[in-house]
Amino acid sequence: MKTTLPAANLLAIAVLLAACGGQSTPRPEADLSSQLGLPEPLPPPALDDATQATAPVDAFLASLSRYCGQAFAGRVRVDEPASADNAFAGKALVMHVRGCGERELRIPFHVGDDHSRTWVLTRTASGLRLKHDHRHEDGSPDPVTMYGGDSRDAGTAQRQAFPVDADSVAMFQREGLSASVTNTWAMEVGPGPVFVYELSRPGGRLFQVEFDLSRPVPLPPAPWGSEP
């Protein structure tokens, strides 16, 4: 015996089927949180432009800071055009990552028995600053000292360049060192266990000293003007 459903019941079933047909089936790749009714996860924090721009600077300093307290021997890799009175020829070249502060590295550069030079790298609000601290044997400053410049862009974690700044240009002009007013210095860490110090000028001058970071050498004396 057949049972006939009332017309009202048939209408209700039709409406229910229509409603179900309008629902989309969850995609297999849909986010699990949304399927479970949980709040959407927050996206990773975005770096602002300033942070992105200076990140390579911090990576560069971190790479160099790994060698704090160690000294390394170097050699002249490039000297173009070669000068007859090259102060580095035939001399033992040693860099010493000696002063390691949170925002500053001091790296004496010894040339034979000349302990007058120290590279000073300082983290600034916008990048990195390189200065050359030159002293006499009695510790007094040389007339040409604390020259250098600031990095003008982020550079890379491997290489940072420092065009000469206005104060250094004025010093060079005062001391009759006109060739130096177009200096750009650069430093590189890597690839591999290598550190490179570089001086270049638009006229074709290029000077590079390369240090082998894989083989520490005995520590040199304290640079002139520094505590032992």
Side-chain angles (χ1 to χ4, degrees):
M1 177 177 181
K2 295 183 180 179
T3 302
T4 304
L5 293 175
N9 289 352
L10 290 174
L11 179 60
I13 293 173
V15 172
L16 180 60
L17 290 174
C20 291
Q23 294 179 355
S24 61
T25 303
R27 298 189 309 272
E29 65 274 14
D31 182 78
L32 181 60
S33 296
S34 61
Q35 292 181 34
L36 296 177
L38 300 175
E40 291 290 335
L42 294 175
L47 298 178
D48 58 32
D49 292 342
T51 301
Q52 292 186 53
T54 56
V57 171
D58 294 319
F60 177 86
L61 281 177
S63 294
L64 195 50
S65 295
R66 293 174 49 203
Y67 301 99
C68 281
Q70 300 182 72
F72 306 94
R75 65 179 183 87
V76 175
R77 185 166 74 175
V78 179
D79 184 18
E80 299 176 351
S83 54
D85 58 346
N86 186 349
F88 302 91
K91 304 287 182 62
L93 307 179
V94 176
M95 64 173 281
H96 179 193
V97 188
R98 185 173 187 268
C100 304
E102 183 178 352
R103 300 183 66 84
E104 180 181 281
L105 293 179
R106 297 185 67 88
I107 307 173
F109 174 37
H110 304 268
V111 181
D113 294 327
D114 184 344
H115 311 296
S116 64
R117 302 170 177 85
T118 298
W119 301 320
V120 184
L121 283 169
T122 305
R123 180 69 164 89
T124 66
S126 59
L128 195 60
R129 175 173 298 151
L130 169 65
K131 290 291 184 176
H132 298 72
D133 186 354
H134 280 205
R135 303 295 183 97
H136 294 294
E137 191 168 1
D138 63 1
S140 60
D142 190 90
V144 181
T145 189
M146 298 309 292
Y147 58 84
D150 289 8
S151 56
R152 286 186 181 172
D153 53 41
T156 69
Q158 179 181 323
R159 178 180 171 89
Q160 294 288 318
F162 311 90
V164 62
D165 59 26
D167 290 342
S168 301
V169 169
M171 177 189 298
F172 292 145
Q173 291 174 334
R174 183 182 70 240
E175 298 298 326
L177 301 173
S178 57
S180 298
V181 300
T182 58
N183 281 3
T184 294
W185 299 273
M187 290 181 168
E188 294 183 10
V189 182
V194 175
F195 176 83
V196 176
Y197 168 84
E198 175 184 294
L199 164 66
S200 64
R201 295 178 187 138
R205 175 61 170 150
L206 180 61
F207 176 77
Q208 292 180 336
V209 183
E210 176 186 273
F211 298 86
D212 181 359
L213 300 179
S214 69
R215 302 178 62 184
V217 299
L219 299 183
W224 295 339
S226 297
E227 294 296 327

